[in-house]
Structures are given as C-alpha cells and as structure tokens.
Amino acid sequence: MTRYAMLIHTTRCVGCFACRVACQTQNSLPASDSFIRYEEQESGSYPVVYAEQVPLQCQHCEDAPCVSVCPTGASYINNEGIVLVNQERCIGCKYCMTACPYNARIQDHRTGEVEKCRFCVWHDDGSVPEPACVDTCVTGARIFGDLDDPTSEVSQAIVSHNAKPIAAGLTRAKIYYVR
Amino acid sequence: MIWGSIIAWYLFLAGLAAGAFATAALVSFKDRGRKAFVKVQLVGRIVALLALAIGLFLLIFDAEAGFKNPLRFFYLLTNFASVMTWGVVILGVFGCVSLVTLLLSLLKKHVPYWLDGLGIAAAACTAAYTGVLIGVIKTYPLWNTALLPVLFLVSALSAGMAATFILSALIAPRELEGLGILKKLHFALLPTELLLLVALLYVASSTAPAAQASVERLVSGDLALTFWLGLVVAGLIVPLFSGGIGIGAGGNPGGRGSDTDGADGARASGRGGAGGGGRGRTSSGIRTMEAAGDVGVLVGGFLLRYLIIVAAVPLTFVF
Ligand code: SF4
Ligand code: SF4
C-alpha cells in the first residue's frame, strides 16, 4: 500500500510564498484563489520574540469529514490515501467546506465547483510525483513521500524530527509539521 | 463565511413549510370531516408548498456548480453517510405528500388521515433535518449540539402556524376563531423556544472556546443588536405578549368544551364563533395585535437561522 503524506518544516520556512505561486501556476488558479494559505504565529515575549509562518493546505485526512458529508460522492479518498474531488460530480453545495476543520477548500467561482490541494496527483504516471510546492520550496522545507514505506525520506524525517499534525484531536491528518 | 443568508433563508423556508403543513393537518384532525375549517387548511397547504418550492430553489441556486449543470443533482442520492443525502430523501417525501394533499384540498376532497399523518412525520423530519444538517458539523461548535434540531423543530412549527394564521385571519377570520386550542399550542411554543435558545447558548458556550466566541458575538458583540431587538424582542417577547392578550381576551370562550363549540360556531356564523359568554367575536384591535405578533414570529424564525449561521466561529485549530 501507498499512503502519501507530507512534512512541512516551519522552522525552515522563510515565508517567501513561492509554494503558493507554484501551486497557483500548477493548478491554473486565478491570483485571488489558492490551495495554500499561511497563518502567522508569534511566540515568546519582548524582546525575545519569534514569528513563524505556518503554511496550510488540505491535510489529506484519513478520516476526512469532507468526504463523509459530501452528498454526491464527489469528494473521495483514492487508493493512495489522497483526498480528491471529482469535479464532474460536484454540485458546489459547500457542505464539505463547512466540514473541513482546516478551512482548506475553496470554491472556484468560474465553475462553482469546490477544489483543494490534490498533492499534484495527476502527474502520477507510475513514477512518484513531486508536488509543485515541494519542488519549488527554496529552503527545502517540504518533503513528500510514502508513509507506508519506513525507508522513505518523509517517514524517516517524521521520526527524526518528531513531526506532528498541526492540531491534536481534529482529524487524522497526513501533513506533519516540524515546529 | 461559507454559508450565508441564502442558506439561512432556505433553512427558514423549509421549516416554515413543515410548520404550515403540520398546522393544516392538525386543523384537519380537529375538523373530523365536518368541513368547518376548509379555508384554514387550504391556506396551510398552499403556504407549505410555496415555501418549500422557494426554499428549494434557493438551495439549488446556492449550489453553484449544480445550478450550472443540473444533471449533477442526480448524484445527490449516492452517499447515504451524508445528512444532506437524507435531507433530499426527506424533502422528496414531504414535497410529494404536500403536493398531493394540496391537490385534494383544492378539489374539495377529504384528505385521508393517514396521509396527513405521514405528512406530519415527513414535516417533522424536514424541520429537524435542517438542524441536523448543520448540527453534525464539528467545525462549528455553536451548531454541534443535540439541541439545535429540537430548537429548529419548535421554531418551524411556530413559524408555520404564524404564517397560516396571518393569512387565515385575512381570508377566513371566522374559521380561525374556532381554533382556540391551536392558538394555545402556538402560544406555548414561544416559551419553549425561548428556553431552548437559552439552553443552546448556555450549553454551547460551556463547550469550546469557538462556541463561546460565537455566543459572545450574539449576546454582546457585533450581532447583539439583531439578536436582542430582532430575535428576542420582535421574535419572542412581542408575540408572547400579543398571544397572551389574544388568548386572554376571548380567542377562546369559557373553557370546557370550547373546541367543539368553536367549530360549530364557525359554521353557524350567526352565533359568533368564539363568542361564548357574550363576549362576541375577537375585536379587530386584538386581531391586529395577534397578526403583529405572528409577523414577529416570522421575523424571529428567520433571524434565528440567520444568526446561528453567521455567528458560528470555526474551531481555532492552530495554536
Ligand atoms: S484537510 Fe479538510 S479538505 Fe483536506 S481531507 Fe481534511 S477535511 Fe478534507
Ligand atoms: S461542494 Fe462538491 S465536493 Fe463539496 S460536498 Fe458539495 S458536492 Fe461534495
């Protein structure tokens, strides 16, 4: 089995937003829409303060609430653990958007359909695809790979950095963060 | 905000439709085939179907991609794990029963009791499902309580009765005077709704910080004016007063046996429907006041859904 996942090293992220631009280009999104957004987190107290950019996108939850609420079956999980939207079935009811606790879905107002990060899945022609955000990251803050393969770079990085999902107790997310 | 006022209108109209249908069916049960209340029944059935049709149009209109490709709506019946899919089934049954009973009423045929019974069940499911639909969404802890469907159910019946009564007061005031018992039920729904609302806000605010933030927006934040003046005063307090005065002032004659007397009275109009004890028909002043209270109930019914939709703050998942 293959279970694709990602690791994001927020302490390496410099907040250049190159991943968002790469994603928008990859997915032909207008400048106003994107599958990646950022939350800024400040910590510490004056004068020792830190600002951290946390990139957020679909977490490809294993127990995806967006999939269970979707009335048309448009939202689904493929056999590699990637959560996808079958655009031909989506009616744009936005039920999935309310169900996603990470606010990771957007509605494309050109079509009315709902979309989100797809781990650049359509590149998959037998070879392991490298999502555009991973490819483009200038500091190498993103690692993509197979969770079920203990020797994969992502599996090993999760263990060595003790990476964790962004929030405990929401869903079984498959994007791991090093913070 | 993902869902906005269009969805609030839909939730309100679906509830209103359910409530109006239930009102018509209850009137029919009380009538027992004597045809003393045909107009009120007809009004209720028309309101039900119209509100449902408008509500469904809004729902379809809000589903942008489906609106552009209507054939995709057939996929709606594929995922029975989704409350929305169940909603489609429930709405289908309710819509059909609602249509058939309206046609029977229009043809001056008696609507079978079993059909009205089935309709009441479907109507109750419709009203409750509008609450379950958003109630299962964990992202918004304000919605995510078991009280929400109950509150929507009570409010739906209240709004449906209000709409039916306002129109009946214009078209068939005599018939309405024989319906003291329904007026009492209509009145009793208000304190129930108030209690449920308080409980919902209380329960929600003691769960997650996001729900607490939502409650704060309603009670003392940016939505406070609409909440207090619109929902609480216009939607609950005003109808409580006008309804109370209306009932006290002879919407109902001296108590015992009043219902059958009322029904007979409505037919034999000479006797003055509610006029036991020589008080005569409800005065026009009181009637106006009751209508104002019912308008308040409708305003409150919409604002309840609107406020709950827009006030909901999502779970703050990061940090
Ligand atoms: S992050 Fe949101 S959109 Fe992605 S799988 Fe989880 S619930 Fe669905
Ligand atoms: S908007 Fe589309 S993908 Fe989302 S729940 Fe509705 S039909 Fe499913």
Side-chain angles (χ1 to χ4, degrees):
Chain A
M1 282 280 283
T2 312
R3 252 181 340 133
Y4 284 124
M6 192 181 281
L7 176 139
I8 301 179
H9 215 311
T10 50
T11 54
R12 276 194 201 161
C13 174
V14 293
C16 67
F17 307 144
C19 51
R20 177 164 67 191
V21 175
C23 173
Q24 286 171 315
T25 311
Q26 173 74 282
N27 295 293
S28 324
L29 295 174
S32 54
D33 288 346
S34 71
F35 296 157
I36 301 176
R37 65 171 220 283
Y38 305 86
E39 298 266 349
E40 192 176 272
Q41 157 78 343
E42 286 173 15
S43 57
S45 56
Y46 179 83
V48 190
V49 290
Y50 303 94
E52 169 196 28
Q53 287 293 341
V54 182
L56 285 158
Q57 66 212 64
C58 172
Q59 308 286 310
H60 296 276
C61 312
E62 301 198 302
D63 50 354
C66 56
V67 171
S68 50
V69 302
C70 175
T72 61
S75 289
Y76 69 103
I77 305 182
N78 81 357
N79 51 19
E80 292 171 330
I82 302 177
V83 177
L84 293 170
V85 181
N86 179 347
Q87 303 294 325
E88 319 279 74
R89 288 178 88 100
C90 175
I91 56 169
C93 65
K94 305 190 278 289
Y95 202 17
C96 54
M97 291 175 72
T98 68
C100 170
Y102 308 91
N103 199 6
R105 294 183 162 231
I106 59 169
Q107 188 172 32
D108 182 341
H109 288 286
R110 295 168 298 185
T111 59
E113 291 154 7
V114 167
E115 297 181 63
K116 57 170 204 66
C117 160
R118 337 169 152 109
F119 273 172
C120 294
V121 74
W122 60 87
H123 275 311
D124 199 356
D125 48 3
S127 61
V128 177
E130 184 95 313
C133 55
V134 176
D135 226 22
T136 219
C137 180
V138 287
T139 61
R142 291 170 178 264
I143 304 172
F144 178 77
D146 180 5
L147 266 192
D148 278 354
D149 172 6
T151 63
S152 70
E153 194 189 350
V154 74
S155 298
Q156 299 205 329
I158 289 171
V159 175
S160 63
H161 291 104
N162 189 22
K164 295 219 162 42
I166 190 76
L170 285 181
T171 61
R172 299 207 325 266
K174 286 211 302 294
I175 294 195
Y176 290 79
Y177 287 82
V178 182
R179 317 240 331 252
Chain B
M1 203 183 10
I2 294 162
W3 280 341
S5 51
I6 296 186
I7 292 299
W9 275 110
Y10 161 70
L11 297 179
F12 169 64
L13 287 167
L16 177 79
F21 180 91
T23 309
L26 289 175
V27 171
S28 165
F29 291 161
K30 181 173 151 45
D31 193 24
R32 296 193 213 94
R34 282 172 302 169
K35 303 213 167 160
F37 301 112
V38 278
K39 285 191 184 141
V40 178
Q41 276 180 60
L42 193 61
V43 167
R45 298 192 197 282
I46 292 173
V47 169
L49 201 63
L50 260 183
L52 187 66
I54 299 171
L56 283 181
F57 175 77
L58 290 176
L59 186 64
I60 289 168
F61 179 74
D62 194 58
E64 270 179 67
F67 193 64
K68 288 174 183 152
N69 310 275
L71 285 179
R72 288 187 193 174
F73 285 116
F74 285 110
Y75 293 128
L76 272 173
L77 291 171
T78 46
N79 180 10
F80 279 87
S82 170
V83 178
M84 200 179 276
T85 299
W86 282 103
V88 172
V89 175
I90 291 168
L91 286 166
V93 174
F94 178 53
C96 289
V97 177
S98 187
L99 180 67
V100 171
T101 58
L102 175 61
L103 289 178
L104 287 173
S105 276
L106 283 172
L107 296 169
K108 301 209 172 10
K109 295 246 170 58
H110 179 66
V111 178
Y113 294 131
W114 66 265
L115 190 59
D116 264 341
L118 175 68
I120 286 188
C125 290
T126 302
Y129 124 82
T130 58
V132 179
L133 181 75
I134 65 173
V136 295
I137 297 300
K138 295 205 183 76
T139 313
Y140 297 92
L142 179 67
W143 303 347
N144 194 219
T145 72
L147 282 169
L148 193 71
V150 188
L151 175 61
F152 277 13
L153 183 67
V154 172
S155 152
L157 186 55
S158 186
M161 283 192 157
T164 311
F165 287 171
I166 294 177
L167 293 174
S168 302
L170 296 173
I171 296 164
R174 292 274 164 72
E175 284 190 18
L176 208 53
E177 301 201 340
L179 293 173
I181 181 114
L182 280 195
K183 279 195 185 167
K184 280 186 186 159
L185 172 61
H186 183 38
F187 178 76
L189 292 172
L190 292 165
T192 315
E193 194 181 330
L194 190 60
L195 215 71
L196 284 166
L197 180 64
V198 172
L200 178 89
L201 296 184
Y202 179 75
V203 168
S205 63
S206 58
T207 53
Q212 216 164 336
S214 312
V215 174
E216 269 165 27
R217 286 187 67 194
L218 289 171
V219 177
S220 57
D222 56 331
L223 300 165
L225 200 65
T226 323
F227 175 79
W228 289 109
L229 285 185
L231 177 55
V232 177
V233 174
L236 291 163
I237 308 278
V238 169
L240 264 171
F241 272 103
S242 72
I245 294 171
I247 287 176
N252 193 12
R256 334 153 292 282
S258 60
D259 300 332
T260 29
D261 287 352
D264 293 340
R267 228 175 350 171
S269 54
R271 263 177 49 203
R279 248 179 292 176
R281 259 167 252 135
T282 314
S283 77
S284 68
I286 286 178
R287 237 186 262 154
T288 314
M289 209 184 53
E290 282 182 333
D294 284 339
V295 171
V297 168
L298 292 176
V299 171
F302 169 70
L303 286 180
L304 173 70
R305 274 105 181 147
Y306 175 76
L307 288 172
I308 285 184
I309 293 269
V310 301
V313 175
L315 276 175
T316 38
F317 55 91
V318 204
F319 327 126

